[in-house]
Amino acid sequence: MADVGGTLTFDDIVIDGELPDLPSFIPMTDGSAVTQLDASLRWPAYGVGMRRVFSPDTHTIYPRFAGKQAREALALRDGQKAVLVGYGEDPLVEAFWTYRKRDGLVEEIASQGWDLVLAPNYSIYGNWPRTEHLLNMRRCLMIAQEFADLGVAAVPNVYWFRLEDLKRYTAWIEDSPLPAIAVNVQTVRENSNWDTWALPGLYWLAENLPADLPVILTGLSRVDRIAQVVALFGNRLTLISQNPHQYALHGAIMTANGREDIHARPADAFAATVQFMASLLPGRQPA
């Protein structure tokens, strides 16, 4: 309770900032230079996961990013944007929370010049005590505010377990507008979880969020699920996925019929999947 400021409400949290212009689809990479992958694409934005920036072993920023600008580390062209996707397995994000103030981790990441930071996500499990849900929902918002207070364009991740959680979020957003909200759905693999938790919650958010609030979803790769969220959020949706990079490592591409192993060069496979996934989303893509 001391860690979260002695309260479980959201009333004192304000996340100011402005969302940069983003394409509808942002591919994630492994944090190395995108020079070869981007050679034919010249894609407007690239994402990098937290585990590529913050070490789960040493609990420090990796040398590749330490003391450097994110866009420099990724070798981005002028105008291309760097997005830190601050999600990770529980030990990683818990370590970031624990060490962030002692080691100035939020300040160090802020100094790297990311164009957008999706704040770390703190888990909600159905078999955890309800108090853990409430603590972690507040932590997701608090850490986004810490980035925003340093001038970073930061977006909080939201998780929920009950309808009352969704109602709390929308009531808070009505009083304290923010640049966007993000939901990490990359761990929702089984249809049962998608149909009973993720999709109903997204339906509710689509109906009850401000109509102009951008929504950023991370981790969708199935064509049918992408179609469902496009129907819900339209052109205010941004999708982030590591699927193109994972497939490209094996010379595979994503198509309307699923994965196809065509033994392509990684850069060609990556470009093909990025372009295919972007074609599933409305608007805001490069010509």
Side-chain angles (χ1 to χ4, degrees), residues 7 86 89 111 172 203:
T7 179
E89 295 182 346
S111 72
W172 167 67
Y203 263 99

Side-chain angles (χ1 to χ4, degrees), residues 37 40-41 43 244 248 253 265-277:
L37 294 178
S40 64
L41 270 178
W43 205 251
I253 62 172
R265 295 188 312 159
D268 293 338
F270 179 83
T273 301
V274 168
Q275 291 167 334
F276 172 74
M277 295 189 74

Side-chain angles (χ1 to χ4, degrees), residues 22-25 226-227 229-239 276-286:
L22 299 171
S24 295
F25 180 70
I226 293 173
V229 296
V230 168
L232 291 178
F233 298 110
N235 62 8
R236 62 171 165 157
L237 173 68
T238 296
L239 179 63
F276 172 74
M277 295 189 74
S279 74
L280 303 175
L281 298 160
R284 305 200 332 265
Q285 304 302 342

